[in-house]
Amino acid sequence: PKIELASGVTRGVEALVRWQHRSRGLLAPGAFMPHAERTGFVRQVTRWMLEQAIGQCGRWHADGMPLEVSINISARDLADGRLPAVLGQLLARHAVPPRLVCLELTESSFIEDPERALAILREIDALGVRLSIDDFGTGFSSLSYLNRLPVDELKIDREFIKGMLEDPDDFAIVRSTIELAHRLGLRVVA
């Protein structure tokens, strides 16, 4: 769940993939997503996740429970020029208002081919789908792209959040990141 700090109300959820393997049991993404990235299979995983998450979002919306659903996408997904069209088709098929879908991308997702990624992100933004930078603060190019990307939200990396009460440097990073994001008109997730 994604809970609004000021009100305590659940505003959305993040769709997290897990793999129920026949012999190894329940596997977290770290056990299979690197392989999916290397082989290019990540696009099929992403398409499946988009279908499942947007479908569920549509069912909730139809039941009067409009929750925003966040879905992670990879660098390979951002290189796929068909992604905006696929999103548009899924939103239409499941009758989901675009504002209820948020795609999360890591900073490294747009470093490889920033101009192509930016063009695709602008197409996705034009659909009305929200965009979030996940694990913000772990890359080194964040600030150089932050004002160019059509993002709505920053998710501060958990390592800073986890240690912020004990480590004054982590606290300062979290505090300044929140202030920066708010000054840019962005939501912050921690």
Side-chain angles (χ1 to χ4, degrees):
K2 292 171 84 173
I3 300 167
E4 187 176 74
L5 191 59
S7 66
V9 173
T10 300
R11 297 287 183 202
V13 296
E14 182 174 358
L16 300 172
V17 67
R18 300 293 183 266
W19 179 13
Q20 185 64 51
H21 191 275
R22 279 182 274 163
S23 59
R24 295 174 61 196
L26 190 63
L27 300 176
F32 61 91
M33 288 304 287
H35 180 69
E37 285 278 357
R38 280 191 306 275
T39 62
F41 190 67
V42 70
R43 285 185 180 171
Q44 284 84 359
V45 173
T46 299
R47 295 285 164 86
W48 182 84
M49 282 295 295
L50 290 171
E51 176 70 44
Q52 297 302 310
I54 292 172
Q56 181 60 60
C57 185
R59 289 187 292 279
W60 284 331
H61 182 64
D63 289 343
M65 194 170 60
L67 290 174
E68 180 183 278
V69 175
S70 295
I71 308 153
N72 291 293
I73 60 172
S74 77
R76 285 194 186 243
D77 296 318
L78 271 186
D80 184 357
R82 296 171 296 183
L83 181 61
V86 168
L87 279 168
Q89 291 165 1
L90 289 171
L91 292 168
R93 182 180 327 135
H94 296 289
V96 173
R99 66 178 166 68
L100 291 180
V101 175
C102 180
L103 297 184
E104 296 186 4
L105 51 139
T106 60
E107 297 171 40
S108 61
S109 297
F110 47 86
I111 302 310
E112 203 169 292
D113 187 353
E115 294 309 315
R116 180 165 173 75
L118 184 57
I120 291 170
L121 289 174
R122 285 184 176 144
E123 285 184 58
I124 292 169
D125 181 58
L127 291 172
V129 170
R130 296 167 131 342
L131 295 166
S132 177
I133 298 178
D134 198 6
D135 300 330
F136 185 79
T138 58
F140 294 105
S141 60
S142 318
L143 297 177
S144 65
Y145 288 106
L146 192 54
N147 63 344
R148 294 179 58 207
L149 294 171
V151 296
D152 304 287
E153 172 183 284
L154 292 183
K155 283 183 70 179
I156 302 173
D157 186 70
R158 77 182 73 181
E159 290 304 314
F160 296 117
I161 302 301
K162 188 169 61 175
M164 73 181 208
L165 295 179
E166 294 82 29
D167 185 337
D169 291 339
D170 282 352
F171 182 81
I173 289 169
V174 170
R175 184 180 197 164
S176 61
T177 302
I178 291 170
E179 185 176 319
L180 170 68
H182 285 168
R183 286 183 184 263
L184 292 172
L186 305 175
R187 291 188 311 184
V188 179
V189 175

